[in-house]
Amino acid sequence: AAHALARSMGMRSCSVFAHRPLTVDHMPPPAVVGLRAPVVVGLMANPPFPVRTFAAKKKGGKKGKGGKGGAKGAANIRDDASILELAPLRANFQGAITALEKELGGLRGGGTSATMLDHIEVDAYGAMTPLSAVAQVTKKSAQLLTATLYDASLGEAVKQAIEDSGMNLNPQVDGDVVSIPIPKLDKSSREALGKQAKKVAEAAKQRLRRVRKDAMDEVKGVKDDFSEDEVNRTNDIIEALVEDYSVVVDEHRDAKIDEVMGSE
């Protein structure tokens, strides 16, 4: 439906991830890094990302040019092409991608790097604090990381945070240094992580579908105030955005699987 809309309006289909951002202030999600574990898979009643409500525009508001010569592709659809404000809708879709990045970041990759612990937060001074803020993590070898603490009194807190990360690591504290052995991943472990990445990605798509449903319910609630064409066009725009963000999910999933299955 989204592509049919694009053709009827003289648009050119475009993937958000592969080509350009949705808006000037919306950039494509960064490469998959870091996450707070344990990973929570599935649809949650309270999503782990900020949700903004939508607002229907008043009938008779300013229109875009529309038709030929208007916005080209779902990625560049202007707010005035929809009866809903699109900025909150895009923000909710992007929130699902941000949550996906965090969850995938918590899945250990195939190699060892100092950044693989970036998603871990430590209970320090009464607040959850990024590990990077309380220690400098260094790769000593393919099977060993060390975290040099800025405050040696946080050793046990850092140790606990790493143990609770869901990465199956067993750190050891020695003064102001926490040693973190990194065991090699065997074939079965890599395959299990690949399956987990797919589950996390599917959960992200469920979040996208939930955002789509909320938006379409909003459209349904105000459809009597707008023409049938305006309502249908808005629903098609919502579908086009879901398709674009689904591509982003697939790209993140595939990148994580490649990372897990590849060698260091």
Side-chain angles (χ1 to χ4, degrees):
H3 299 304
L5 169 68
R7 288 193 297 268
S8 67
M9 297 177 67
M11 297 177 177
R12 180 162 47 85
S13 181
C14 172
S15 165
V16 171
F17 189 86
H19 297 280
R20 54 183 179 271
L22 290 176
T23 61
V24 172
D25 61 353
H26 175 90
M27 299 299 295
V32 178
V33 290
L35 146 84
R36 182 180 57 204
V39 175
V40 178
V41 177
L43 194 58
M44 290 171 277
N46 297 312
F49 51 88
V51 175
R52 300 172 61 186
T53 56
F54 314 122
K57 298 178 179 178
K58 294 181 179 180
K59 186 175 182 180
K62 185 178 179 180
K63 303 288 185 181
K65 293 181 180 180
K68 295 183 179 180
K72 296 182 179 180
N76 274 348
I77 295 173
R78 299 192 304 263
D79 278 7
D80 55 14
S82 166
I83 65 175
L84 292 184
E85 299 291 345
L86 295 183
L89 178 59
R90 289 181 173 122
N92 287 349
F93 282 133
Q94 180 56 37
I97 300 302
T98 300
L100 170 69
E101 292 169 354
K102 289 183 177 181
E103 292 180 6
L104 286 177
L107 297 179
R108 182 186 162 189
T112 302
S113 70
T115 61
M116 66 187 292
L117 306 180
D118 281 356
H119 64 283
I120 295 177
E121 293 187 334
V122 180
D123 188 356
Y125 313 115
M128 297 309 295
T129 307
L131 175 60
S132 59
V134 300
Q136 180 178 2
V137 179
T138 304
K139 177 182 176 180
K140 292 297 185 180
S141 71
Q143 273 72 56
L144 180 65
L145 296 178
T146 60
T148 303
L149 306 172
Y150 302 135
D151 181 351
S153 69
L154 295 176
E156 288 302 318
V158 169
K159 179 177 182 290
Q160 188 67 49
I162 295 172
E163 289 176 341
D164 293 343
S165 69
M167 300 178 73
N168 296 320
L169 301 177
N170 297 297
Q172 301 297 323
V173 181
D174 182 11
D176 64 349
V177 176
V178 179
S179 297
I180 310 121
I182 308 296
K184 289 184 177 180
L185 290 175
D186 56 24
K187 182 179 179 181
S188 61
S189 296
R190 292 174 187 271
E191 290 175 348
L193 286 169
K195 291 179 180 179
Q196 186 72 358
K198 292 179 180 179
K199 290 181 180 179
V200 170
E202 180 55 34
K205 289 189 177 182
Q206 289 177 356
R207 294 174 188 140
L208 294 180
R209 289 192 287 268
R210 186 171 63 234
V211 173
R212 175 184 61 189
K213 180 180 182 302
D214 289 345
M216 287 187 166
D217 285 347
E218 185 73 17
V219 172
K220 185 177 180 180
V222 298
K223 67 179 183 179
D224 291 341
D225 296 331
F226 298 89
S227 70
E228 182 178 353
D229 285 345
E230 289 174 314
V231 170
N232 290 338
R233 182 171 65 244
T234 298
N235 284 332
D236 285 343
I237 288 171
I238 295 170
E239 290 286 1
L241 292 174
V242 171
E243 289 182 11
D244 277 348
Y245 278 101
S246 292
V247 170
V248 177
V249 171
D250 291 342
E251 293 279 357
H252 280 64
R253 177 202 62 206
D254 293 345
K256 173 55 69 172
I257 291 175
D258 288 345
E259 178 188 351
V260 167
M261 300 305 293
S263 59
E264 185 175 11

